[in-house]
Amino acid sequence: MKSSWVLVVSLGIIGNAFPQIRSADSAASRLQRVEDRQAIEQLLMGDYPRALDSGDWAAYAALFATDGTLIMGGGATKVTGPAAIEKYFSSRPTPGAAASAAPSPCPVPPGGHRNEHVVNNLTLQIDGDMATGQAYWQTIVTRDCKAVVAGAGHYEDVLKREGGRWKFLKREIVDDIPPRTTPAPAATTSGR
């Protein structure tokens, strides 16, 4: 009788240990997914727009995997690899503006401008060391204390973990509202 009681208790202890192991694996898996999501959100909504807005093309290019591709202009522009991406942006002329002699209370120097890319409405699907994501973007341009939405669209991304960090394997920038290429019509005032 005593030995059957010990057997029942032993089986109960062993049986109860297995759900704890599964639970621990599940907790570790869930924690990894949370950490991956946070790292990807930092890439997409923090590091990427800051590098873009500051014109730090080395930092921008470093966000791409060694075989990462940037696609723009409806597929007309495809650049692959961090070195090629950095060269592409570094060789483009920076937009210049005529300096204004009038003093401005704006933190942007007279005649200068500042871009701020805003990324939102992010969706992510993470599967191990690969992920896909979509997000909206808007470019806010400030010039002489006036801010406008200069363009808007969405990103279509494929990401991969490379060297322990999440990077772009493919980033497609889609212009849903293309940037303005001509000046906006002057606003008219009504007699009201």
Side-chain angles (χ1 to χ4, degrees):
M1 183 67 116
K2 196 180 213 182
S3 63
S4 61
W5 181 80
V6 171
L7 179 63
V8 169
V9 169
S10 297
L11 289 175
I13 291 171
I14 292 171
N16 287 336
F18 287 115
Q20 291 172 351
I21 292 171
R22 282 193 305 266
S23 177
D25 288 342
S26 179
S29 175
R30 286 192 314 266
L31 178 59
Q32 183 63 55
R33 283 193 305 272
V34 168
E35 289 175 349
D36 287 341
R37 182 172 180 90
Q38 286 178 327
I40 293 169
E41 286 178 3
Q42 179 64 40
L43 169 66
L44 301 180
M45 301 171 78
D47 300 338
Y48 178 88
R50 288 192 186 279
L52 179 59
D53 292 338
S54 68
D56 185 345
W57 303 124
Y60 181 92
L63 301 174
F64 286 81
T66 54
D67 55 346
T69 300
L70 176 63
I71 303 168
M72 300 178 291
T77 302
K78 290 184 182 179
V79 187
T80 300
I85 291 168
E86 182 179 357
K87 181 180 177 185
Y88 173 81
F89 284 106
S90 296
S91 66
R92 292 178 56 168
T94 55
S100 170
S104 173
C106 190
V108 177
H113 73 280
R114 178 176 62 208
N115 292 333
E116 292 183 2
H117 288 81
V118 179
V119 180
N120 57 11
N121 294 7
L122 175 66
T123 60
L124 287 174
Q125 301 81 34
I126 302 169
D127 185 12
D129 289 338
M130 298 293 294
T132 57
Q134 303 80 30
Y136 295 142
W137 61 266
Q138 301 82 40
T139 303
I140 310 297
V141 175
T142 303
R143 183 187 311 268
D144 297 327
C145 286
K146 296 176 186 147
V148 298
V149 176
H154 69 277
Y155 297 119
E156 294 289 335
D157 296 318
V158 177
L159 305 125
K160 75 175 185 178
R161 192 185 330 260
E162 181 179 87
R165 298 192 60 180
W166 284 98
K167 297 190 174 197
F168 295 108
L169 179 59
K170 179 188 78 108
R171 165 150 270 201
E172 184 169 359
I173 302 171
V174 180
D175 293 318
D176 295 328
I177 302 173
R180 187 181 306 260
T181 57
T182 58
T188 59
T189 57
S190 66
R192 293 195 249 174

